Amino acid sequence: MLHMIIDDLQIAPLRSFLTSLSMLIGIVALISSVLIGSVGKDYLQVINACISGWEPTYTIAIEDADIDDLDTNARFYERLESYDQGVFAAEYVYNGMSLQDTNGQWHHVEANVTTSYLSSVIFKPLMQGSWLSDTDQYATTEVVLNKAAADMLSKADSASDSKVDETTAVMALDEHVQTFASVINGIVDDGSSEPEVYINAFSFQRLVPQLWEPDGLRILFHPITENEDAGETEIQAKSALKDILADTIGGSASWNRSDNADSYKSVIDLLQKTTLATALLLLLVSAIGLINIGLSNIEQRSRELLIRRALGATRSSIALLVLGSSIILGSIITAVAIGISFLAVPLIPTLLPNGSLIGVPRYPTNAAFLACIASLVTSTLGSLAPAIKAACLQPALILR
């Protein structure tokens, strides 16, 4: 039977190709509708960050906490990182931090004394090097500069007597009285036009304890679970954080939603729905085309099918022959569409404007699965009427 189905597809290859073209476009559009959600959201986040800087989903102010003990802070980080319904990152506030350029001049910078988990809460596109080390890894005092801070260092007069090299940053507190050097891990574009530095909190407190005098503590949080009830997610996170604080550093938490993702979520949803509707219309047109061509094909092949009936073929085998040809053709089209989309996804960053810093998106496997189902439904619906007509042919007609 399979051999006969393949032979049927080879009878009119051009007609088979034209029949499959609209289905191919529809399936590619179906996969694209899912990609628009992920890529579009990231792109709008970048545009928003260029205007107002990157923001976490929630910013939590912590008051009356005991943040002086290294071991207590270490347990605090460990508990934050073990939460599996979202990502917490601690960020200690230092208001008097300065950075020395290669000319020996001091410049005020905004200091973010934090952990490696910050990059999971707020998207920090790496331009060079690497991010901060995890708290369970041994590390020297290390820092990551934002683009503005890196530009400030690079614009220093190189002809002068340099006090630092390209891999070291010298910083200070209390009007440059107490200085310390840190290894520069990398450079990020955080959307801020002001110089900012990100310092490894664990190694900073452990290796420079004399300067551990933070002006405050805040926690940044981003939920990672797809929960339809955002309020329920927030309640769970608040309860978890309350337990973590009670078991480690103590204090009270004040939550504030700080991002504006909801403002462009509706735009992404509209784009997705529009593309999905277009894809479904294309598949509907494809199904109608399959019905039209299939019925015409039955008229042209009626003598051949009647001969098969006269030689003993059953109604079900004739119907299966017609259905099988359409389903196999749809399977080939789906494989081609998935292959095209799989090869096209890595090219998406090259199609975006320079400086968008959008990485290669993850391939939407759920969309590929949906495309397989849509192809099967379209092929079946498009060949059902021709299959019924073919099965109803009477062998006696061949005697006319």
Side-chain angles (χ1 to χ4, degrees), residues 13 135 152 214 242 322 333:
T135 54
M152 182 184 69
K242 183 178 180 180
V322 178
I333 294 167

Side-chain angles (χ1 to χ4, degrees), residues 3 12 31 49 86 102 151 155 180 187 235 255 261 277 283 291 362 385:
H3 181 71
I31 297 175
T102 53
D151 289 343
K155 291 178 182 178
F180 64 98
I187 300 172
I235 292 173
W255 287 66
L283 291 174
I291 294 173
R362 185 177 62 180

